[in-house]
């Protein structure tokens, strides 16, 4: 135990230090309270008996402060200055970013750069980014950690658990992500964008979302220029490992292909934090007009639009986002007249409803068609049953096999001897009549079968056919052997039948 205490003087656990590394690996720079709210939200409901807010805050963040002290001893974290309110900023060193990459399961090249010196200018933008991450993430407290707390505290924690969930986990987020229009992911060139937040939470219906934070210091023209850079990046295609060209963003993030003819670019969420001098409502109206070519879809019959190759642009305010979260109807998409939830705003519910109606109509037509086929088949079966033969012996209807057996077949197939009887009656001797015999002359006694008797030989002595004049001139040489045999055979058969 003494060895562990010497290695980590503050006594922090491996799990706690790992939580701190994951949070700082995503946010780059944060206060201890922000780290605690994301990694251990149940602590926000403890220590309510402390007399002042500062003492309650100190008690809630004590364990994370100790973990940061141990990380600073190992050269993984450092202090990054102070906020105007007195809170100390914490960030990771380059070695700490590598350790955070292992904790998050990400390549080191995707971790970005350390946020050193962010506190020198007040870090207003990074702090707003962190607030947006907290508002979109909405961490849920672990109620099992609050069993000993007062009833009102547990009720407040239960209300937080019952509230609509946020998007993903802390591993679903990344900040300060370069989106190169030229160059590579590791070495982006000029002309690209840099997303303040990138969210990948497909399990919550958000495969990919870019977030841009504005503290109301920038004009609509500056924001329109940023959106142009986002579009340049989304339109950029590179050759993938299979030799085919694909959008560059698809080589890093997975997004479903979507419906044919309605495959937009990844959506962009603009969050306005009203601390600057500009009116966000005025900026939003101007921005929608300046970027119309990027987000406006094509109208179709049925009251919906298709946005193939367009970028969904959604706007909201920081105050509304923190109050309602992504499940609240506080998001306005450019081109739509009313607010929606974030999932609805980036989606295409009208087109989905039209597709659902088409599928329902198609299914109804298929059901009607199948019913008509069944009716026709039943009618054909009834007509066939009406034509089924009946046995002349017992009155039983023929089976399908018997019916098929008595039907006319090819000229060389044997004929059925009793087509008016079923199989059972056909086998019964009582229904058989005398076997018909061919009428003919009785064979003379002693004559051998197959040879003509004396009486037959008498009839075979026939005169030769009468010849014409030309034939008499030629004589019997004009007759072939086959003609003589045919004439004799024909005459004999005629005499036998007479």
């Amino acid at each position: 135990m003494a060895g562990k205490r010497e290695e980590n003087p503050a006594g922090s656990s491996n799990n706690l230090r790992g939580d701190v590394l994951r949070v700082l690996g995503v946010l780059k720079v944060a206060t201890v309270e922000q780290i605690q709210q994301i990694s251990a939200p149940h602590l926000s409901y403890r220590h309510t008996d402390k007399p002042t807010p500062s003492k309650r805050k100190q008690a809630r963040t004590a364990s994370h402060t100790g973990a940061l002290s141990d990380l600073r001893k190992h050269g993984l974290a450092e202090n990054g200055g102070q906020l105007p309110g007195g809170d100390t900023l914490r960030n990771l060193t380059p070695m700490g970013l590598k350790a955070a990459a292992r904790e998050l399961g990400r390549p080191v090249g995707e971790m970005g750069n350390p946020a050193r010196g962010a506190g020198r200018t007040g870090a207003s933008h990074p702090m707003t980014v962190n607030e947006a991450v907290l508002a979109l993430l909405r961490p849920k407290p672990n109620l099992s950690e609050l069993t000993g707390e007062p009833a009102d505290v547990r009720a407040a924690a239960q209300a937080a658990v019952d509230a609509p969930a946020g998007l993903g986990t802390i591993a679903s987020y990344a900040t300060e992500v370069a989106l190169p229009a030229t160059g590579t992911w590791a070495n982006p060139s000029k002309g690209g964008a840099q997303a303040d937040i990138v969210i990948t939470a497909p399990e919550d219906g958000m495969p990919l979302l870019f977030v841009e934070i504005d503290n109301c210091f920038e004009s609509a023209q500056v924001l329109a220029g940023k959106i142009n850079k986002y579009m340049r990046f989304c339109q950029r295609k590179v050759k993938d490992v299979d030799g085919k060209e694909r959008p560059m963003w698809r080589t890093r993030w997975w997004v479903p292909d979507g419906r044919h003819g309605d495959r937009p670019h990844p959506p962009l969420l603009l969050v306005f934090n009203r601390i600057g001098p500009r009116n966000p409502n005025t900026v939003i109206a101007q921005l929608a007009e300046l970027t119309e070519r990027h987000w406006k879809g094509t109208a179709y019959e049925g009251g919906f639009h298709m946005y193939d190759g367009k970028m969904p642009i959604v706007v909201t305010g920081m105050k509304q986002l923190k109050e309602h979260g992504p499940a609240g109807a506080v998001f306005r998409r450019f081109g739509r007249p009313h607010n929606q939830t974030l999932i609805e705003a980036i989606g295409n519910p009208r087109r989905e409803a039209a597709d659902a109606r088409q599928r329902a109509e198609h299914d109804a037509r298929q059901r009607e068609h199948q019913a008509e086929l069944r009716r026709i088949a039943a009618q054909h079966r009834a007509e066939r049953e009406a034509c089924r033969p009946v046995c002349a012996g017992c009155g039983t209807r023929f089976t399908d096999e018997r019916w098929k057996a008595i039907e006319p077949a090819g000229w060389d197939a044997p004929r059925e001897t009793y087509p008016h009887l079923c199989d059972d009656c056909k086998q019964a001797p009582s229904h058989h009549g005398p076997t018909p015999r061919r009428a003919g002359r009785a064979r003379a006694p002693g004559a051998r079968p197959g040879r003509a008797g004396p009486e037959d030989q008498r009839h075979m002595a026939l005169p030769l056919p009468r010849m014409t004049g030309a034939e008499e001139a030629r004589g019997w040489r004009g007759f072939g052997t086959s003609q003589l045999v045919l004439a004799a055979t024909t005459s004999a058969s005629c005499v036998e039948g007479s």
Side-chain angles (χ1 to χ4, degrees):
M1 191 62 158
K4 292 184 178 180
R5 177 65 70 176
E6 290 178 2
E7 188 177 353
N8 298 295
S12 62
S13 64
N14 291 334
N15 291 337
L16 189 58
R17 292 193 301 276
D19 291 340
V20 174
L21 286 173
R22 280 189 290 271
V23 174
L24 284 179
V26 171
L27 301 183
K28 304 297 190 302
V29 59
T31 64
V32 180
E33 186 177 20
Q34 290 172 341
I35 297 172
Q36 172 265 310
Q37 289 174 345
I38 293 175
S39 61
H42 66 278
L43 292 178
S44 299
Y45 299 90
R46 283 185 176 177
H47 308 290
T48 56
D49 57 342
K50 300 296 180 182
T52 61
S54 61
K55 290 186 178 297
R56 290 195 291 270
K57 178 179 178 181
Q58 183 180 1
R60 289 196 304 267
T61 59
S63 58
H64 291 83
T65 302
L68 284 165
S69 176
D70 290 338
L71 290 174
R72 188 168 61 252
K73 179 180 182 300
H74 296 305
L76 302 179
E78 61 185 6
N79 294 338
Q82 284 189 339
L83 295 177
D87 288 333
T88 302
L89 293 176
R90 312 299 178 104
N91 61 269
L92 297 177
T93 63
M95 189 168 59
L97 277 179
K98 293 181 180 180
R102 289 192 296 271
E103 292 290 335
L104 291 168
R106 297 178 183 175
V108 178
E110 295 183 5
M111 296 300 296
N113 298 317
R116 289 179 169 175
R120 296 173 184 173
T121 57
S124 61
H125 188 267
M127 292 300 101
T128 306
V129 170
N130 294 353
E131 290 179 10
V133 170
L134 276 165
L136 291 167
L137 182 61
R138 298 181 78 83
K140 302 287 186 182
N142 186 358
L143 296 179
S144 63
E145 301 286 345
L146 302 173
T147 54
E149 299 298 325
D152 57 338
V153 174
R154 294 198 305 271
Q158 185 66 54
V161 171
D162 296 337
L167 298 176
T169 64
I170 188 60
S172 305
Y173 292 74
T175 59
E176 306 300 329
V177 179
L179 308 177
T182 58
T184 63
W185 291 108
N187 297 303
S189 300
K190 294 182 179 179
Q194 179 169 281
D196 291 328
I197 305 172
V198 175
I199 304 175
T200 53
E203 67 277 8
D204 293 326
M206 190 66 64
L208 181 60
L209 175 67
F210 299 143
V211 183
E212 185 71 22
I213 307 298
D214 179 52
N215 283 330
C216 294
F217 287 105
E218 296 177 336
S219 65
Q221 290 75 16
V222 173
L223 294 176
K226 288 186 176 182
I227 293 176
N228 287 338
K229 294 180 179 180
Y230 275 97
M231 283 296 297
R232 288 189 63 197
F233 165 73
C234 292
Q235 292 170 348
R236 180 183 179 183
K237 292 187 176 182
V238 294
K239 188 172 291 186
D240 208 347
V241 293
D242 57 358
K244 297 181 181 179
E245 282 196 347
R246 288 184 176 86
M248 187 175 184
W249 58 269
R250 284 191 177 273
T251 64
R252 181 169 178 176
W253 298 292
W254 175 85
V255 174
D257 290 336
R259 185 184 185 276
H260 178 70
D262 190 18
R263 295 174 179 171
H265 295 309
L268 173 64
L269 172 63
L270 295 173
V271 180
F272 290 89
N273 187 28
R274 196 165 186 175
I275 61 176
R278 297 187 181 275
N279 185 348
N281 296 324
T282 303
V283 173
I284 289 172
Q286 296 175 351
L287 185 61
E289 183 178 356
L290 291 171
T291 60
E292 183 176 356
R293 68 186 185 279
H294 296 320
W295 54 260
K296 188 174 182 179
T298 304
Y300 285 82
E301 294 182 2
F304 65 92
H305 291 72
M306 302 276 265
Y307 300 95
D308 195 44
K310 303 297 182 178
M311 173 179 283
I313 302 177
V314 184
V315 296
T316 190
M318 178 63 75
K319 182 179 179 181
Q320 294 176 319
L321 179 62
K322 293 170 68 174
E323 181 178 355
H324 301 282
V330 295
F331 300 89
R332 177 71 62 88
R333 178 169 172 172
F334 283 176
R336 295 183 182 176
H338 55 274
N339 290 349
Q340 298 173 297
T341 65
L342 182 57
I343 298 295
E344 293 174 346
I346 67 172
N348 197 348
R350 289 188 177 181
R351 192 264 298 162
E352 294 172 358
D355 290 346
R357 288 193 300 269
Q358 290 181 358
R359 286 193 297 269
E361 294 172 359
H362 177 266
D363 293 343
R365 289 194 298 268
Q366 285 292 102
R367 288 192 296 270
E368 293 176 0
H369 178 65
Q370 294 297 329
E372 180 66 16
L373 291 179
R374 289 191 295 269
R375 186 191 65 78
I376 294 174
Q379 181 180 353
H380 288 173
R381 287 194 299 269
E383 293 175 353
R384 178 175 172 81
E385 287 298 322
C387 299
R388 184 181 294 274
V390 179
C391 178
C394 63
T396 305
R397 289 184 176 274
F398 282 15
T399 62
D400 291 341
E401 293 78 6
R402 180 59 179 161
W403 193 0
K404 183 177 181 181
I406 67 171
E407 288 180 349
W411 62 271
D412 56 344
R415 294 184 60 83
E416 177 65 36
T417 54
Y418 299 100
H420 58 287
L421 299 178
C422 65
D423 286 330
D424 295 337
C425 294
K426 176 184 174 183
Q427 302 299 331
S430 60
H431 292 92
H432 296 182
T435 303
R437 295 182 61 186
R438 180 186 295 180
R441 192 177 303 274
R443 189 163 45 240
R448 287 186 298 173
R451 296 189 61 182
E455 198 72 22
D456 294 330
Q457 293 176 358
R458 179 176 60 81
H459 291 291
M460 290 296 289
L462 299 175
L464 292 174
R466 188 181 299 275
M467 296 183 294
T468 61
E471 291 169 344
E472 289 179 355
R474 292 198 307 268
W476 286 105
R477 292 174 299 176
F479 274 84
T481 305
S482 60
Q483 291 172 309
L484 290 174
V485 174
L486 177 60
T489 305
T490 305
S491 300
S493 61
C494 292
V495 173
E496 182 181 358
S498 61

